[in-house]
Amino acid sequence: MFSKLCMIIFLSAGVAADNARDLVETAVGLPGKVGDDSACVNPGTCTEPDPTLYPFVGGRTALVPRQQWVESGGFCGALSIQSIAMTYGAYISQDLVRKAAPYQSGSHGDDTLGYEISTQNILPCLSNLNLNYDSWDSDKQPVPQGQAYLSWLKKQLSAGAGIVQFVLCAGDEHYIPQDDAPPLYFDHIEPFFKIYSKHPLSDSTVYNDDILVHGSDYSPDGDENLGYFRTFDSLLDDTDMQGNCANAGTEWKQNEMYPCLYKNQTYGTAITGLVNSKNLISTSLQVNATSEPDVREGNDPVLFQATLLIGVESGISKGSYVVSRFDGIDDFKNQKRSAAYEVECEEDSTEPLEHVDKVLFLSSSSVYYTVEKSN
């Protein structure tokens, strides 16, 4: 699957010591392969569309849906950020994501442990995590916002971003009061990470049969864990949830699999990359598990191993590349790398190059990788 025409040369390392150690039906109107999927929650669809019908694909195509922690209001926002950040080469524990988020009214947490992600504190949180973003300004957009938001959503996905999306879930309250501001209308946060279209992604028109892929935060999302697939015309609804979400489940681990966006006002923030990422080669990070032990519940962290997909967006050309590793949020901010490796690719490839880092890291920590062409 991945190009392995490469040679790995260890250049330097200074890694810290702590890093050493139900059958389901296909939703009506969604083209694709039809079949039973025991891990896909009705009325969701977890099979990708026919590539001959949908040849144009964008977004964070290497994202693998993951599992959130559930205490203290739930870590859905932290998990969404973590999942998308991994597709840019950074793993950040859910614990550390929340610790990077300041107070916002209605969010669980405190000044020591950080706060639950919400519509405004997500912005300083992303800055604190060294992530670039572009946020939909729901306060300044005319109401109803639904169709305009879908245009923004398609634009961001088509440009290769991943969206931290605030959604409505059937059976939930849809209402979060604020101290000195109007209430917020959302129940849950998920990564919206991929788009399929019959039309070139340079075409900004939102077509009803454009397909979006999202995670539920309770993977596996389908037997193959590809995520949930939705046509754009199935996304909007009112708070009564009697439109597109009328047939969605209303219980926990049901309604997250088939959410809707509030048609009057919605909230979303696109993560567009790591800070200071100019001239870097697109690199996604994957680990050997889709969940992390919840250290806030007293569970011990485990060791993860990073697999990098280098050139994940468009393949990789012949030449030498330097992989840099940064152990921690501050080390990346200060560009203090803990290790560097040289990768030599012997020929051009349309597939990403796979590099496995032999030095493990703790699931409760953070690690950033960048790749650039060698001089």
Side-chain angles (χ1 to χ4, degrees), residues 217-236:
D217 303 334
Y218 296 104
S219 68
D221 292 335
D223 287 338
E224 297 183 40
N225 199 27
L226 299 177
Y228 282 86
F229 295 72
R230 294 279 293 276
T231 54
F232 268 60
D233 66 351
S234 74
L235 291 172
L236 299 180

Side-chain angles (χ1 to χ4, degrees), residues 320-322 342 372-375:
S320 298
Y321 298 85
V322 175
E342 187 170 284
E372 55 193 325
K373 201 74 180 280
S374 179
N375 294 326

